Structure formats: C-alpha cells, structure tokens
Amino acid sequence: MAEVEQPLPERKARKSVAFSEGATIMDENGNISESAQDGTKSTAEKHSSPSIDQGVEEVTKQMEGADMFAGMAKKKKKSKKTEDADGEAPAADGEFDPSSLKKKKKKSTKPKDDDFEAKLAKAGVEGAPEAENEQAVDQDGDWEKGTGIWSHDNKTPIAYPLLLDRFFELINHFNPDILSSGSRSYKIPPPQCLREGNKKTIFANIAEICKRMKRNDDHVIQFLFAELGTSGSVDGSKRLVIKGRFQQKQIENVLRRYIMEYVTCKTCRSPDTELSKGENRLYFVTCNSCGSRRSVQAIKSGFTAQVGKRKRMQG
Amino acid sequence: MSTIENLKTFDPFAEADDDAGAAQKKQGQDYIHIRIQQRNGRKTLTTVQGLPKKFDQKKILKVIKKKFACNGTIVADSEMGEVIQLQGDQRKDVQEFLVAKDGLELDAKTIKVHGF
C-alpha cells in the first residue's frame, strides 16, 4: 500500500500534462473522439463481458488500454469502464493497485498511457477510494505541530479515530474545567462567626447567605436553632445572635445540611430553587431549572432538655 | 384447630409481630433523632429521641452508660415520649451502637444525627 501512495502525486502531476495531451489528442482526432462516445458503449460491453472479476477487469482494461491505445475511441470507453468498476467495488481497488502500479511504470514510457491516467483522474472516482486505503495504513504526523497528514495543505483523509482523539484532546486542553462541570459547584460565602461575650456567637453574614440561597431568613434561622439545639435573636444590623459557643466550621456544617435538604433540587441537583408554602401548611421546593417539585419536611426542633433550670426559673 | 379454644387465646408471636409492625409503621416516617445541646462551658448533652418501643430504654441506657462511660437519664417528655439523655457528646458512639451488630441492629437510614 505504501507503494501506492507514491504514484498518487505522480498522477496528479500527470493529470495536468495528460489533460493537455488529451486535449491535443482530441484535437488531432476530433471527429473520432466525438464519435467515440457513441461507440464507447458497444466497446465497453465487449470489454466487460469477457472479464467477470472487476479487479481483473480493470487490469485487463489497462492492459488493453496499453495495447489498444492506437484507437482513441476505446480509451474513453475504458475510462468510463474503470469508473463503473471503482464505484461498484472500491475495496477491490486496493488489491489490484500494485499491479496497476507496475503497469504504470511499464507504461510510463508510452505517452498514451498518460492519456489514460488523465482520464482516470478526470473521472475522479478512482482517487477517493484509493486514498482511503492508503490512509488506513499509515497516518503519520503530529497534529499539534501540523505535520504529516495534519498539515494544512494535505488533503488526505484522516481516519475517524484520530480525529476523535484530536477533538477530545483539544476540548480538554481549552476547557480544563469541562470535566468538573458535571457537578456544578455552588458557592456561598463562608459564614462569619464572632464571639459576643463568653456565651454568645454572632453569625454576621446570614442575610447575605440567605439572599444567595434565595431563602427566607426566618426559615434558615429556625433550622439553625433546631439543629444547634439553642435559641437566639436577630440584632439591629440583621446579624444573628446564637446562644452558645459555635465555631465557623460547625455553622458551616449545619448550613451545608440546610442546603442539602432545602435548597438543592434532588432531581437535577441545581441550587436554583424556590421554597414555597403550599396547601396544608406543607413546604415545597420547586426547581427553576428542571421544574420538579418536592415536599420538604417542616423544621422540628424536637426534644430539648432543660439546661440550667434554676437560671431559667429566675430569668 | 378451632376446637381447642384455649390454644387460641395466647399467641406469643402475634403480639410481638403486632408490636413490631406498629413500630415499623411509626418508624416509616419517624426517625431516631440524635441531638446535641450545649451546656455551660465545654459541656454538652446528647439526646436520643424516638427509639422503637420494642426496646427497653432502661436496659439500653444501662448498656450505654457502661459502654461510653457517661451518665445519663431517661426523660419522659409529654410530646416526644421517652428520651435518653446522656452527658457529653456521644452522638457518634450512640449512632454506631444503634447500628452495630452487638447493639440494636437498627437501619442506619432511620437514624438522623443533628447538631454541628
């Protein structure tokens, strides 16, 4: 097959030469060529009938072409013939290519052979399938550097798997985070925790976080108190004062659980959801991106043990 | 079978099954909640709420106290029923105990651990 590759450019080169030659030939026997088209069919039939195998047929035709080049009419027939043969059995091409090559080499001395080649090239049908066969064998070159088969001017067809490889490599190269986009990251600002006195924690940016989550402040606060098992209040600048000592990490954990339960859509995992009170005092989360709707549990604070009975009695 | 009336009166398995069934039904929605509460200073309380009725809370408490080296009590709440209250942060221990083979062998899905 590698051998085959070489003749292809040769052929192209010949093409132009042959063209002119062909033209001259036409000029020389203008009448004949014209009449040849009519006569082609009959001669073509003659050619086709004896040869059963197409591959063999073509070879024989070529042989005949070499022999019979004296008659211009027949050449034309042959070219058409070969077209047909190629169209019908492109796979067969590969098989007889080497043989044809040899012939070409032999024929190269004969000027008429060029003519025949030119007509083949003109037909254009033969070129394509042959090229396919060639490419399947050796696809050299580095697509990053644009060499070999990947070079800009190269018109040889490239095998599908190679193209696919290049596609994925490029897409990963230019979009490094395309792989992680499956789990779309949802970011909220980290909670800011300040200590007020010894026993209270101030959750400073709760308003901002609630806004980001598109949730009602009260709902979030209720959840926080239920989970932490404490109570608290909102101060003048909308900061949350929680009784008890809590670290930022702890608050973060609770918030994460809140988001899991009340913010993210279970179907599409999108955080773009709305919490609304449906009928029967039930809360529903409606997803804005996929439209799913699910009910969520109401927040229950559950059992809270009495801590510091005496203090409470007093206070 | 029907002739012997005496045998019908007491079926040791029926009752147990009924109880279990009821507990299961209740548990269908009712989870076991393990919560934590802050006390003064670094001290905390752990509460275990909603244990199935088929278990004797007293015995569980006794085992837990021994195992986790903490004190605890059973608090009878008007709404939540009996709640086990333990000293210190025992959430992880209790959760493992409830699921463990040598513990209560409960389904981990029915247990909810709250708190930070």
Short mmCIF file of all heavy atoms in Angstrom, two decimals, chain A residues 61-84:
data_model
loop_
_atom_site.label_atom_id
_atom_site.label_comp_id
_atom_site.label_asym_id
_atom_site.label_seq_id
_atom_site.Cartn_x
_atom_site.Cartn_y
_atom_site.Cartn_z
N LYS A 61 -8.27 -4.15 -18.61
CA LYS A 61 -8.60 -2.95 -19.38
C LYS A 61 -7.35 -2.11 -19.58
O LYS A 61 -7.10 -1.61 -20.66
CB LYS A 61 -9.64 -2.11 -18.64
CG LYS A 61 -11.05 -2.51 -18.96
CD LYS A 61 -11.97 -1.70 -18.12
CE LYS A 61 -12.98 -2.59 -17.43
NZ LYS A 61 -13.44 -1.97 -16.21
N GLN A 62 -6.65 -2.00 -18.46
CA GLN A 62 -5.45 -1.19 -18.56
C GLN A 62 -4.50 -1.79 -19.57
O GLN A 62 -3.89 -1.09 -20.37
CB GLN A 62 -4.78 -1.09 -17.18
CG GLN A 62 -5.54 -0.11 -16.29
CD GLN A 62 -4.93 -0.03 -14.92
OE1 GLN A 62 -4.22 -0.95 -14.52
NE2 GLN A 62 -5.21 1.05 -14.23
N MET A 63 -4.39 -3.10 -19.43
CA MET A 63 -3.54 -3.79 -20.39
C MET A 63 -4.02 -3.50 -21.80
O MET A 63 -3.26 -3.12 -22.68
CB MET A 63 -3.61 -5.30 -20.14
CG MET A 63 -3.01 -5.75 -18.81
SD MET A 63 -1.25 -5.48 -18.73
CE MET A 63 -0.68 -6.87 -19.69
N GLU A 64 -5.27 -3.67 -21.94
CA GLU A 64 -5.85 -3.44 -23.25
C GLU A 64 -5.60 -2.01 -23.70
O GLU A 64 -5.28 -1.74 -24.83
CB GLU A 64 -7.36 -3.71 -23.21
CG GLU A 64 -7.67 -5.19 -23.16
CD GLU A 64 -9.08 -5.42 -22.71
OE1 GLU A 64 -9.80 -4.43 -22.49
OE2 GLU A 64 -9.45 -6.58 -22.58
N GLY A 65 -5.79 -1.14 -22.68
CA GLY A 65 -5.58 0.27 -22.99
C GLY A 65 -4.18 0.48 -23.55
O GLY A 65 -4.00 1.18 -24.54
N ALA A 66 -3.24 -0.18 -22.90
CA ALA A 66 -1.86 -0.02 -23.36
C ALA A 66 -1.72 -0.54 -24.78
O ALA A 66 -1.07 0.08 -25.62
CB ALA A 66 -0.91 -0.77 -22.43
N ASP A 67 -2.36 -1.66 -25.00
CA ASP A 67 -2.26 -2.29 -26.32
C ASP A 67 -3.04 -1.51 -27.36
O ASP A 67 -2.54 -1.27 -28.47
CB ASP A 67 -2.83 -3.71 -26.26
CG ASP A 67 -2.00 -4.58 -25.34
OD1 ASP A 67 -0.82 -4.19 -25.10
OD2 ASP A 67 -2.52 -5.59 -24.84
N MET A 68 -4.19 -1.13 -26.97
CA MET A 68 -5.12 -0.62 -27.98
C MET A 68 -5.13 0.89 -28.07
O MET A 68 -6.06 1.48 -28.59
CB MET A 68 -6.55 -1.09 -27.63
CG MET A 68 -6.61 -2.61 -27.51
SD MET A 68 -8.04 -3.13 -26.64
CE MET A 68 -9.23 -3.07 -27.95
N PHE A 69 -4.14 1.50 -27.48
CA PHE A 69 -4.17 2.96 -27.46
C PHE A 69 -4.20 3.57 -28.85
O PHE A 69 -4.51 4.75 -29.00
CB PHE A 69 -2.97 3.50 -26.68
CG PHE A 69 -3.26 3.56 -25.21
CD1 PHE A 69 -2.25 3.31 -24.30
CD2 PHE A 69 -4.52 3.85 -24.77
CE1 PHE A 69 -2.54 3.35 -22.96
CE2 PHE A 69 -4.81 3.88 -23.45
CZ PHE A 69 -3.82 3.63 -22.52
N ALA A 70 -3.86 2.78 -29.77
CA ALA A 70 -3.91 3.28 -31.13
C ALA A 70 -5.29 3.84 -31.44
O ALA A 70 -5.42 4.92 -32.01
CB ALA A 70 -3.56 2.16 -32.12
N GLY A 71 -6.30 3.10 -31.01
CA GLY A 71 -7.68 3.59 -31.23
C GLY A 71 -8.11 4.46 -30.09
O GLY A 71 -8.21 4.00 -28.97
N MET A 72 -8.30 5.72 -30.35
CA MET A 72 -8.63 6.66 -29.29
C MET A 72 -9.99 6.36 -28.69
O MET A 72 -10.23 6.55 -27.51
CB MET A 72 -8.63 8.09 -29.85
CG MET A 72 -7.29 8.53 -30.39
SD MET A 72 -5.94 8.14 -29.29
CE MET A 72 -6.40 9.11 -27.90
N ALA A 73 -10.88 5.96 -29.48
CA ALA A 73 -12.25 5.74 -29.02
C ALA A 73 -12.27 4.77 -27.86
O ALA A 73 -12.96 4.95 -26.87
CB ALA A 73 -13.09 5.20 -30.17
N LYS A 74 -11.48 3.78 -27.96
CA LYS A 74 -11.50 2.73 -26.94
C LYS A 74 -11.03 3.25 -25.59
O LYS A 74 -11.50 2.84 -24.55
CB LYS A 74 -10.63 1.56 -27.39
CG LYS A 74 -11.38 0.69 -28.39
CD LYS A 74 -10.45 -0.24 -29.12
CE LYS A 74 -11.18 -0.89 -30.28
NZ LYS A 74 -10.28 -1.68 -31.12
N LYS A 75 -10.09 4.16 -25.63
CA LYS A 75 -9.59 4.71 -24.36
C LYS A 75 -10.73 5.29 -23.54
O LYS A 75 -10.88 5.06 -22.35
CB LYS A 75 -8.57 5.81 -24.64
CG LYS A 75 -7.19 5.28 -24.98
CD LYS A 75 -6.30 6.43 -25.35
CE LYS A 75 -5.37 6.04 -26.47
NZ LYS A 75 -4.83 7.20 -27.14
N LYS A 76 -11.49 6.04 -24.19
CA LYS A 76 -12.60 6.69 -23.49
C LYS A 76 -13.49 5.66 -22.85
O LYS A 76 -13.92 5.76 -21.71
CB LYS A 76 -13.40 7.53 -24.48
CG LYS A 76 -12.75 8.88 -24.69
CD LYS A 76 -13.70 9.80 -25.40
CE LYS A 76 -13.04 11.15 -25.58
NZ LYS A 76 -13.88 12.04 -26.39
N LYS A 77 -13.74 4.67 -23.61
CA LYS A 77 -14.60 3.61 -23.08
C LYS A 77 -14.00 3.07 -21.79
O LYS A 77 -14.66 2.87 -20.79
CB LYS A 77 -14.72 2.46 -24.07
CG LYS A 77 -15.42 2.83 -25.36
CD LYS A 77 -15.00 1.87 -26.43
CE LYS A 77 -15.00 2.52 -27.79
NZ LYS A 77 -14.25 1.73 -28.75
N LYS A 78 -12.70 2.86 -21.88
CA LYS A 78 -12.04 2.25 -20.73
C LYS A 78 -12.19 3.12 -19.50
O LYS A 78 -12.50 2.66 -18.42
CB LYS A 78 -10.55 2.05 -21.03
CG LYS A 78 -10.31 0.80 -21.84
CD LYS A 78 -9.07 0.97 -22.68
CE LYS A 78 -9.23 0.26 -24.00
NZ LYS A 78 -8.32 0.80 -25.00
N SER A 79 -11.95 4.39 -19.70
CA SER A 79 -12.03 5.27 -18.54
C SER A 79 -13.42 5.16 -17.91
O SER A 79 -13.56 5.05 -16.70
CB SER A 79 -11.73 6.70 -18.95
OG SER A 79 -12.78 7.20 -19.75
N LYS A 80 -14.39 5.18 -18.70
CA LYS A 80 -15.74 5.06 -18.16
C LYS A 80 -15.90 3.73 -17.46
O LYS A 80 -16.48 3.61 -16.38
CB LYS A 80 -16.77 5.17 -19.29
CG LYS A 80 -16.98 6.63 -19.67
CD LYS A 80 -17.96 6.78 -20.78
CE LYS A 80 -18.06 8.23 -21.21
NZ LYS A 80 -18.89 8.39 -22.40
N LYS A 81 -15.38 2.75 -18.10
CA LYS A 81 -15.45 1.40 -17.53
C LYS A 81 -14.87 1.39 -16.13
O LYS A 81 -15.47 0.91 -15.18
CB LYS A 81 -14.66 0.45 -18.43
CG LYS A 81 -15.56 -0.33 -19.33
CD LYS A 81 -16.02 -1.55 -18.57
CE LYS A 81 -17.34 -2.00 -19.12
NZ LYS A 81 -17.62 -3.37 -18.79
N THR A 82 -13.66 1.89 -16.05
CA THR A 82 -12.99 1.87 -14.75
C THR A 82 -13.80 2.63 -13.73
O THR A 82 -13.87 2.24 -12.57
CB THR A 82 -11.59 2.48 -14.86
OG1 THR A 82 -11.71 3.73 -15.53
CG2 THR A 82 -10.64 1.57 -15.59
N GLU A 83 -14.38 3.68 -14.13
CA GLU A 83 -15.25 4.42 -13.21
C GLU A 83 -16.29 3.50 -12.61
O GLU A 83 -16.47 3.41 -11.41
CB GLU A 83 -15.98 5.52 -13.98
CG GLU A 83 -15.20 6.82 -14.08
CD GLU A 83 -16.03 7.81 -14.86
OE1 GLU A 83 -17.22 7.95 -14.54
OE2 GLU A 83 -15.48 8.42 -15.77
N ASP A 84 -16.94 2.82 -13.48
CA ASP A 84 -18.00 1.91 -13.03
C ASP A 84 -17.45 0.89 -12.05
O ASP A 84 -18.00 0.66 -10.98
CB ASP A 84 -18.62 1.18 -14.24
CG ASP A 84 -19.30 2.17 -15.16
OD1 ASP A 84 -19.54 3.33 -14.70
OD2 ASP A 84 -19.61 1.80 -16.30
#
